[in-house]
Structures are given as structure tokens and as C-alpha cells.
């Protein structure tokens, strides 16, 4: 695969987001299937694997650690802290907690290293900025982990350009990870340019719009009851029906480009700027290989302009998050 720079690391131009194997989209796949996907990605040339404390409340890190331990020298390992599950009431019900305090960051890192069965995490993100804690304090704690040799570089997730600059003044920020796809263009407001200015890589999660741009999800009523997409405004039945209408023109452009719909979404990101690395996730080896095929798709400026006109923040119906989820992130928003 082609490569791109991620902080001090040279990685495959397309990474693997490991979340889907353990978290978010209904019942997780079996451990055996998760292992198949991880090893297939490694065999195909993927050298960036992205997980987090939150995913499966530790289960995803455990899976990645078990499967990938013997291949540790072959890839760049990324994980995240500051957003995790806690049994607050003591009744076994796990709830998400955003906590960017230095003590929690240190504890998250200790737990991640144990689950990942490694001595060092290459790229460690603050999963969400805890707005009760100055970003300088959270990044200071991460910088201490760098000094101790527990992590090699620091990343931030879902932050604004302003927050990135404040953090970067404390310690160089290797990467910012935020949702970015044809239907979520918020990074274009400011943070993409800030990353370019500071030499920070932009890692795009949900690059195929949580499956929408694959063209396979035609009926949201089939989503698992625990699928996190169910309450998302764009996936509400009436809104999604409107959004599906955009795919006819989109799929026609993909056919013209000689690629699959998912490949068009990923190739678009790769063409936007050299400091962007998409990290699609999947539970299927077949879909994995389809995603990675985007590395060889060439798009003309004219075709890029056409696809951007079909799917953008003005043609898509519904915001990307609920009001509650929006309050938890620090990203710029379109009016």
C-alpha cells in the first residue's frame, strides 16, 4: 500500500479502525472473526491499527493485544484515553464517562498497556476533551507518559482548531482524529488547516459515513436495538429516506470512476490532502479488501467537484449527532 506520515511514523495511507469488531454497531462479531479481520488487514499491508479504552469497555484492546502481540513490530498502534466505561451505580450497568484528569489518564494508560500486551503505545489520543479540565493539564499528563516511555506520541480526538493550538503549545500533537466524510465536512471549517499549519496528521474516522456511503444500508429499521446509529439524526427513518435519494447520483459517479461506492468515499479523502489518513472499520474481510482498494483509485478534479456537490452538509438531512453528543465534542459546527 501507499504510505503517509503520521507524526514520527510512516504508515499505510488507509488504516483500520478496530471499533466495529467489539463496539457500537450491535452484537460484536466472534473473537475468531475479529482475528480474521485483523490479520487480513495486516496481510494486506495495513500498518495503522486504531483502538480505544472505550471500545467494548476494554474488549477491543484485549482482542487487538491477543491477536497482534506477535506482530507488534509490523504496525503502528493507536489507542485512546479519557472516555471509558464505569459501573457508577454498582449494578453492573456500564455508562460512558468523560474524564481527562491526569490521574485517570495515567490509569487508562496502565490498563491499555496491559490489555494490549505491549510496553508502549505508539499514538495515544485524548478521546474527548473533558471541558472541566484545562486541555493543557490533560496534554501535560500525556507528555509525562511520553517522558516515561509508555507512549511515543500524542493525539487528540474531536477538538477544535483553537484547542489544538493550545494543546500543541504544551507538547507537539502528532494527530487529530475527527469524523470526516462527504456527509460530515466540519473539519473543513478550521481544524484541517490548523493541522496542516502545525504539521499534525488528520485521521478521519467514519470515512464511509457509518456505512451510508457503502450503499448497503437501505432500511434503518433493520439496525440492532443497541446500534449507536439508531438515535443519530441522519439515521432516523424520515431523514434517512431523504438521504438515500442522494445515493443514486453518488453511485453513478462511483461507477463512472470505476470503483465501488466505499472506494469513492475513501479515495475522495485521500485526494483532499496528503496529511489525511482515513481509518474505515469493518467486520468483514470482503469489505476490508474493498476499502483498501481505494488506495489505487484516481479521481479527476472535475469528478471530485461533482461528488462534493451531490453529498455535502447542505444536501444531507439531519446533524451528525444528537444534542447531547454534540455537547460532548469540541469540533467547529456549521451554522
Amino acid at each position: 500500500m501507499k504510505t503517509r506520515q503520521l507524526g514520527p511514523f510512516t504508515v499505510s495511507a488507509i488504516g483500520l479502525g478496530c471499533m466495529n469488531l467489539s463496539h457500537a454497531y450491535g452484537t460484536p462479531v466472534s473473537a475468531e472473526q475479529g482475528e480474521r479481520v485483523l490479520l487480513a488487514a495486516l496481510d494486506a499491508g495495513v500498518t495503522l491499527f486504531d483502538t480505544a479504552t472505550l471500545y467494548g469497555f476494554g474488549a477491543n484492546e484485549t482482542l487487538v493485544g491477543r491477536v497482534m502481540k506477535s506482530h507488534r513490530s509490523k504496525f503502528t498502534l493507536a489507542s485512546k484515553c479519557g472516555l471509558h466505561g464505569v459501573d457508577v451505580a454498582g449494578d453492573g450497568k456500564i455508562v460512558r464517562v468523560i474524564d481527562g484528569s491526569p490521574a485517570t489518564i495515567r490509569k487508562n494508560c496502565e490498563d491499555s498497556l496491559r490489555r494490549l500486551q505491549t510496553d508502549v503505545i505508539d499514538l495515544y489520543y485524548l478521546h474527548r476533551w473533558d471541558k472541566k479540565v484545562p486541555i493543557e493539564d490533560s496534554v501535560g499528563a500525556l507528555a509525562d507518559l511520553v517522558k516515561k516511555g509508555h507512549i511515543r506520541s500524542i493525539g487528540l480526538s474531536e477538538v477544535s482548531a483553537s484547542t489544538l493550538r493550545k494543546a500543541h503549545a504544551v507538547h507537539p500533537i502528532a494527530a487529530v482524529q475527527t469524523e470526516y466524510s462527504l456527509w460530515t465536512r466540519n473539519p473543513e471549517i478550521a481544524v484541517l488547516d490548523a493541522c496542516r499549519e502545525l504539521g499534525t496528521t488528520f485521521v478521519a474516522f467514519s470515512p464511509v459515513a457509518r456505512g451510508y456511503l457503502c450503499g448497503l444500508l437501505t432500511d434503518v429499521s433493520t439496525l440492532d436495538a443497541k446500534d449507536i446509529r439508531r438515535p443519530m439524526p441522519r439515521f432516523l427513518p424520515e431523514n434517512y429516506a431523504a438521504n438515500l435519494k442522494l445515493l443514486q447520483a453518488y453511485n453513478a459517479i462511483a461507477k463512472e470512476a470505476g470503483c465501488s461506492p466505499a472506494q469513492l468515499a475513501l479515495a475522495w479523502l485521500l485526494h483532499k490532502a496528503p496529511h489525511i489518513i482515513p481509518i474505515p472499520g469493518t467486520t468483514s474481510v470482503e469489505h476490508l479488501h474493498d476499502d483498501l482498494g481505494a488506495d489505487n483509485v484516481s479521481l479527476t478534479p472535475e469528478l471530485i467537484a461533482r461528488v462534493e456537490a451531490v453529498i455535502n452538509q447542505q444536501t444531507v438531512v439531519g446533524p451528525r449527532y444528537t444534542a447531547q453528543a454534540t455537547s460532548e465534542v469540541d469540533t467547529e459546527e456549521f451554522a
Side-chain angles (χ1 to χ4, degrees), residues 3 7 9 25 28-29 32 34-35 48 80 104 123 157 165-167 174 188 202-203 217 227 276 282 291 312:
T3 60
F9 312 105
Y25 297 139
V29 296
E32 293 75 17
E35 181 172 348
L48 173 62
K80 308 178 194 73
T104 294
L123 172 60
S157 179
R165 289 193 172 93
K166 290 177 184 177
E188 296 174 4
F202 185 92
V203 177
L217 178 61
D227 194 305
I276 295 174
T282 183
D291 287 345
N312 59 61

Side-chain angles (χ1 to χ4, degrees), residues 111-160:
D111 293 341
S112 291
L113 288 168
R114 184 184 68 255
R115 287 189 292 258
L116 290 164
Q117 300 188 51
T118 186
D119 295 328
V120 62
I121 298 168
D122 298 314
L123 172 60
Y124 204 45
Y125 291 93
L126 185 67
H127 205 159
R128 291 289 187 275
W129 173 35
D130 179 354
K131 298 173 185 177
K132 302 183 301 298
V133 179
I135 190 64
E136 294 87 349
D137 291 356
S138 295
V139 172
L142 290 167
D144 287 340
L145 293 175
V146 174
K147 291 176 184 175
K148 292 176 181 177
H150 298 324
I151 67 176
R152 290 194 170 106
S153 61
I154 297 173
L156 302 175
S157 179
E158 295 274 31
V159 297
S160 65

Side-chain angles (χ1 to χ4, degrees), residues 186-207:
N186 307 56
E188 296 174 4
I189 299 172
V191 78
L192 266 180
D193 287 340
C195 284
R196 182 185 296 108
E197 173 192 328
L198 298 173
T200 299
T201 302
F202 185 92
V203 177
F205 77 77
S206 295

Side-chain angles (χ1 to χ4, degrees), residues 27-290:
T27 303
V29 296
S30 67
E32 293 75 17
Q33 179 61 16
E35 181 172 348
R36 277 192 285 271
V37 172
L38 290 170
L39 293 180
L42 191 68
D43 288 343
V46 173
T47 58
L48 173 62
F49 290 77
D50 182 278
T51 181
T53 293
L54 177 72
Y55 303 158
F57 305 117
N60 195 245
E61 286 184 325
T62 299
L63 172 68
V64 171
R66 178 180 63 80
V67 174
M68 305 296 282
K69 179 181 180 182
S70 61
H71 306 284
R72 184 65 184 85
S73 64
K74 301 176 184 176
F75 67 94
T76 296
L77 175 62
S79 193
K80 308 178 194 73
C81 64
L83 178 59
H84 56 278
V86 177
D87 183 358
V88 176
D91 58 1
K93 184 178 181 182
I94 307 296
V95 296
R96 297 165 73 253
V97 172
I98 297 174
D99 184 350
S101 64
T104 294
I105 287 172
R106 288 191 293 270
K107 180 64 165 60
N108 282 171
C109 186
E110 291 171 6
D111 293 341
S112 291
L113 288 168
R114 184 184 68 255
R115 287 189 292 258
L116 290 164
Q117 300 188 51
T118 186
D119 295 328
V120 62
I121 298 168
D122 298 314
L123 172 60
Y124 204 45
Y125 291 93
L126 185 67
H127 205 159
R128 291 289 187 275
W129 173 35
D130 179 354
K131 298 173 185 177
K132 302 183 301 298
V133 179
I135 190 64
E136 294 87 349
D137 291 356
S138 295
V139 172
L142 290 167
D144 287 340
L145 293 175
V146 174
K147 291 176 184 175
K148 292 176 181 177
H150 298 324
I151 67 176
R152 290 194 170 106
S153 61
I154 297 173
L156 302 175
S157 179
E158 295 274 31
V159 297
S160 65
S162 173
T163 300
L164 168 60
R165 289 193 172 93
K166 290 177 184 177
H168 195 78
V170 175
H171 188 281
I173 302 301
V176 166
Q177 181 173 142
T178 293
E179 182 175 356
Y180 188 31
S181 69
L182 281 161
W183 85 344
T184 297
R185 309 285 272 278
N186 307 56
E188 296 174 4
I189 299 172
V191 78
L192 266 180
D193 287 340
C195 284
R196 182 185 296 108
E197 173 192 328
L198 298 173
T200 299
T201 302
F202 185 92
V203 177
F205 77 77
S206 295
V208 294
R210 303 185 187 275
Y212 164 71
L213 291 171
C214 298
L216 301 176
L217 178 61
T218 57
D219 183 0
V220 289
S221 70
T222 64
L223 293 176
D224 187 275
K226 294 183 178 180
D227 194 305
I228 64 168
R229 291 172 290 186
R230 275 194 170 269
M232 289 181 173
R234 292 175 182 174
F235 288 93
L236 297 178
E238 184 175 341
N239 290 346
Y240 198 71
N243 291 329
L244 279 177
K245 294 176 182 177
L246 302 176
L247 291 182
Q248 183 175 355
Y250 174 78
N251 290 340
I253 295 174
K255 186 175 181 180
E256 182 181 338
C259 65
S260 71
Q263 288 172 350
L264 177 59
L266 293 165
W268 174 78
L269 279 167
L270 293 173
H271 281 70
K272 290 298 288 183
H275 69 298
I276 295 174
I277 299 176
I279 51 166
T282 183
T283 59
S284 160
V285 173
E286 180 183 359
H287 291 165
L288 167 72
H289 287 148
D290 183 54

